[in-house]
Amino acid sequence: MTRTLRAGALTAAAISLMLALAGCFGPTPSPTPTPTPTPDAATPRPTPAATPTVEPVDLTAVIGLVARPEGLELRGDGGTVLLTLGYMSPPADAVSALTEVFGEPPVDEPYAGTNHSPAGIVHRWDEFALDERLYDEELRQAEAIDWLVWPRFAVYFDAPAADGVVLSTASGLQAGDAWSIAEADPGFDSDVWTCTGSSVEALVVAVPDSWTGPDRANVVAQPTDDGSTVKWIGAPEMEADGCA
């Protein structure tokens, strides 16, 4: 009997000890979660670069037009080139720009084509003319003919100025100058054969692989019938190895 009670007492003590130990350690705490940084906090986003603004060209400031082998330069005070109109650029864009330069639209003179040249439209402001050539664009693409043979437009200076805008070559040669001045021009080269006029500025240009002809585009001066003065200046005129 005594033995049974002692065993029961020991069992109760053991239970008390276990409960005490459980109270000392307590439940295992859950780990505190680490906050996940937001994308903005983790990686700062770069500030987008500002898009550069292109200042519009004030074409009312143009005081001179200069014929070059590749394009018509619109120059301002001090000879600054404000804009260049490439001869393969859209003629409508060139007409629009020149309308702003001269302050009025041109007088248009359509003309018929021939067996050797396409039809076209001469857009004229006083003594300056822009000759729009209406070449067959599909044929141009099919034959890979570059601007040096088929320019979309050409320019002609029939006087030293048009409505107060000076017309000249890069060296300063003008229609109305003595022909002796043209012959003394640094760019004058009578050995460059063109179908009209004499070269006063030549430029070797890139040609298609299929092209086997001459590769120089020119600004030309045409003399008057008596050969005394420069009748007109024009560009571009391609060097030729024969004329029809």
Side-chain angles (χ1 to χ4, degrees):
M1 183 70 177
T2 303
R3 184 178 182 137
T4 302
L5 290 173
R6 184 175 293 175
L10 288 173
T11 301
I15 293 171
S16 297
L17 179 59
M18 292 174 64
L19 292 172
L21 291 172
C24 291
F25 289 104
T28 303
S30 300
T32 303
T34 303
T36 301
T38 61
D40 287 343
T43 306
R45 296 177 180 174
T47 303
T51 302
T53 56
V54 178
E55 294 295 330
V57 177
D58 180 12
L59 296 181
T60 62
V62 172
I63 60 175
L65 302 179
V66 177
R68 305 299 303 272
E70 290 183 296
L72 177 69
E73 292 181 348
L74 281 56
R75 296 193 182 188
D77 190 34
T80 302
V81 178
L82 302 177
L83 183 67
T84 298
L85 302 174
Y87 300 126
M88 277 299 290
S89 63
D93 292 349
V95 170
S96 177
L98 291 164
T99 295
E100 189 171 348
V101 169
F102 288 106
E104 60 183 0
V107 175
D108 292 342
E109 305 167 2
Y111 60 87
T114 69
N115 292 335
H116 303 293
S117 61
I121 304 171
V122 174
H123 306 277
R124 182 175 293 279
W125 291 267
D126 193 27
E127 298 300 313
F128 167 78
L130 184 148
D131 182 6
E132 179 178 356
R133 311 276 178 81
L134 302 179
Y135 286 110
D136 184 332
E137 288 294 333
E138 291 185 4
L139 182 61
R140 183 200 299 277
Q141 296 298 323
E143 298 190 5
I145 296 177
D146 206 350
W147 70 267
L148 56 98
V149 180
W150 285 4
R152 289 194 170 93
F153 67 87
V155 295
Y156 296 96
F157 302 162
D158 294 329
D163 287 336
V165 178
V166 176
L167 309 175
S168 73
T169 66
S171 65
L173 184 67
Q174 296 179 289
D177 284 345
W179 188 249
S180 59
I181 295 176
E183 292 177 317
D185 191 275
F188 186 87
D189 189 348
S190 58
D191 291 333
V192 178
W193 178 262
T194 66
C195 293
T196 181
S198 297
S199 177
V200 292
E201 184 181 7
L203 178 70
V204 175
V205 294
V207 297
D209 293 338
S210 59
W211 180 251
T212 59
D215 60 357
R216 285 186 290 186
N218 301 269
V219 177
V220 297
Q222 175 72 24
T224 53
D225 291 342
D226 63 4
S228 63
T229 59
V230 177
K231 183 178 182 180
W232 53 258
I233 290 168
E237 184 70 27
M238 190 60 196
E239 181 183 7
D241 50 14
C243 300

